[in-house]
């Protein structure tokens, strides 16, 4: 019996991670987005901005094999409202683009190596990478930052509900 396709595994990983992120940030109180444990550390707002920026940049690389302007996308993910809704709406829009890509991607597309943009080779270990690995990176990156957010909330005495 064959296993799940790359697409199905990626869809599961992206959905599972996003569900946990939503559970961790949705209950934030006003002002909670701009809190960080210490001076100079990223705020929760900045962490969410980085999650969205990385997803858009990485998806662009998977589709076009060139890196877009990080700063331009970073500015597009900036938010100004005191609640988490604006940040989550922007993350949801980015995720919908990723899901549209996956909906149209065949197994062959996901498994066929593409050239890496200049400067990306070192991190991913080579001059070529499968788009599947780039999409998995989106989920891994988000999960890493989810851990930061949960740790931030714990340090405030607020334990996010476990989804395990």
């Amino acid at each position: 019996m064959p296993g799940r396709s790359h697409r199905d595994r990626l869809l599961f990983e992206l959905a599972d991670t996003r569900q946990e992120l939503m559970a961790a940030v949705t209950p934030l109180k006003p002002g909670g987005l701009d809190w960080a444990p210490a001076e100079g550390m990223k705020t929760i707002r900045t962490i969410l901005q980085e999650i969205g920026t990385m997803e858009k940049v990485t998806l662009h690389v998977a589709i076009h094999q060139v890196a877009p302007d990080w700063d331009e996308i970073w500015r597009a993910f900036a938010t100004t409202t005191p609640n988490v809704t604006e940040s989550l709406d922007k993350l949801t829009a980015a995720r919908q683009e990723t899901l549209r890509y996956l909906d149209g991607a065949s197994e062959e597309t996901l498994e066929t190596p593409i050239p890496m943009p200049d400067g990306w080779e070192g991190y991913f270990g080579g001059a070529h990478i499968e788009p599947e690995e780039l999409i998995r990176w989106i989920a891994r990156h988000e999960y890493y930052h989810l851990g930061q957010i949960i740790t931030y909330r714990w340090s405030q005495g607020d334990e996010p509900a476990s989804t395990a």
Side-chain angles (χ1 to χ4, degrees):
M1 176 177 196
R4 292 184 301 162
S5 67
H6 283 99
R7 179 185 167 278
D8 289 346
R9 286 182 282 174
L10 291 167
L11 288 170
F12 175 81
E13 195 169 341
L14 290 165
D16 189 54
T17 301
R18 183 54 56 88
Q19 179 182 357
E20 288 189 48
L21 180 71
M22 298 289 273
V25 299
T26 300
L28 287 172
K29 296 172 182 68
L33 279 175
D34 296 312
W35 185 84
E39 178 98 18
M41 292 180 73
K42 292 177 184 175
T43 64
I44 293 174
R45 179 189 308 269
T46 303
I47 292 169
L48 295 175
Q49 186 176 5
E50 183 177 327
I51 290 169
T53 301
M54 184 61 77
E55 181 159 355
K56 289 277 285 192
V57 167
T58 304
L59 180 62
H60 192 275
V61 169
I63 295 169
H64 304 287
Q65 293 85 53
V66 296
D69 184 313
W70 175 275
D71 292 334
E72 181 180 326
I73 294 173
W74 178 262
R75 286 188 297 276
F77 275 94
T79 60
T80 57
T81 57
N83 63 41
V84 74
T85 303
E86 184 182 3
S87 294
L88 294 180
D89 287 348
K90 290 183 179 207
L91 289 176
T92 298
R95 181 54 48 86
Q96 288 171 345
E97 288 181 43
T98 302
L99 297 179
R100 278 193 297 276
Y101 169 76
L102 285 171
D103 282 344
S106 67
E107 269 307 279
E108 183 179 356
T109 298
L110 292 172
E111 293 175 356
T112 302
I114 59 172
M116 293 296 294
D118 290 339
W120 284 53
E121 310 91 353
Y123 183 78
F124 287 99
H128 291 81
I129 192 167
E130 295 82 5
E132 174 270 330
E133 180 66 27
L134 289 171
I135 304 304
R136 191 164 355 116
W137 164 246
I138 290 170
R140 285 178 40 219
H141 179 260
E142 183 170 321
Y143 199 71
Y144 166 83
H145 285 299
L146 167 62
Q148 274 186 297
I149 291 168
I150 289 170
T151 301
Y152 278 24
R153 294 201 50 214
W154 282 340
S155 72
Q156 292 179 298
D158 186 16
E159 185 169 342
S162 172
T163 59

